[in-house]
């Protein structure tokens, strides 16, 4: 995405930006919502852990809702709310001058769209091309998504076998 506010003119960019039309971040910076942020100010390992634990929690909630006799209306309501949050997060991708308080809301909602920019791969990994890391994570995402379900299944099977004894 083009960061027109990052361009100073005459082919120069603001300090954190580089590349054609100042669309990239310099090393040591991570892009979130078209804004380059200093890796030193981000708590990236903790953010990455929270991101993946949050995904695990969402999977756990989906499994519980699917396996228990929850009223269909409650499941439908939850799915509509989930979709509304995902759609709202998409609005944050539009390059507009949003009020300052709205941008963090869009960023938080983008978690439900599995936004890998939240974990700041440029800061967490030593990979020179963070897009490669993000690409590999997205390609292996179906395999990663199976892990919570397998763990929940194993614990459920162990619980059932203990109750039957």
């Amino acid at each position: 995405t083009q960061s027109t506010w990052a361009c100073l003119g005459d082919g120069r960019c603001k300090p954190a930006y580089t590349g054609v039309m100042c669309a990239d971040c310099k090393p040591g910076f991570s892009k979130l919502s078209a804004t380059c942020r200093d890796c030193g100010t981000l708590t990236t390992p903790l953010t990455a852990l929270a991101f993946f634990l949050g995904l695990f929690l969402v999977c756990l909630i989906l499994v519980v809702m699917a396996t228990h006799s929850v009223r269909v209306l409650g499941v439908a309501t939850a799915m509509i709310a989930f979709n509304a949050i995902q759609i709202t997060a998409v609005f944050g991708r539009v390059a507009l001058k949003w009020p300052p308080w709205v941008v963090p809301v869009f960023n938080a909602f983008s978690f439900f769209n599995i936004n890998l920019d939240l974990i700041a791969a440029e800061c967490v990994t030593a990979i020179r091309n963070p897009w490669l890391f993000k690409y590999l994570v997205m390609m292996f995402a179906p395999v990663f998504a199976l892990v919570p379900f397998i763990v929940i299944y194993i614990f459920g099977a162990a619980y059932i076998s203990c109750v039957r004894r």
Side-chain angles (χ1 to χ4, degrees), residues 58-80:
V58 168
C59 290
L60 177 65
I61 290 169
L62 290 174
V63 166
V64 168
M65 289 176 70
T67 58
H68 286 78
S69 58
V70 178
R71 291 185 16 219
V72 174
L73 184 60
V75 174
T77 303
M79 293 309 294
I80 290 169

Side-chain angles (χ1 to χ4, degrees), residues 7 11 13 17-26:
C7 295
C13 302
Y17 299 87
T18 188
V20 177
M21 296 175 27
C22 305
D24 298 320
C25 296
K26 286 185 177 178

Side-chain angles (χ1 to χ4, degrees), residues 39-100:
C39 288
T41 61
L42 299 172
T43 56
T44 50
L46 184 61
T47 305
L49 178 65
F51 183 83
F52 289 112
L53 286 177
L55 284 179
F56 183 81
L57 182 64
V58 168
C59 290
L60 177 65
I61 290 169
L62 290 174
V63 166
V64 168
M65 289 176 70
T67 58
H68 286 78
S69 58
V70 178
R71 291 185 16 219
V72 174
L73 184 60
V75 174
T77 303
M79 293 309 294
I80 290 169
F82 186 75
N83 289 337
I85 289 172
Q86 287 181 312
I87 291 167
T88 303
V90 171
F91 290 128
R93 307 277 299 170
V94 178
L96 294 174
K97 285 287 192 181
W98 296 104

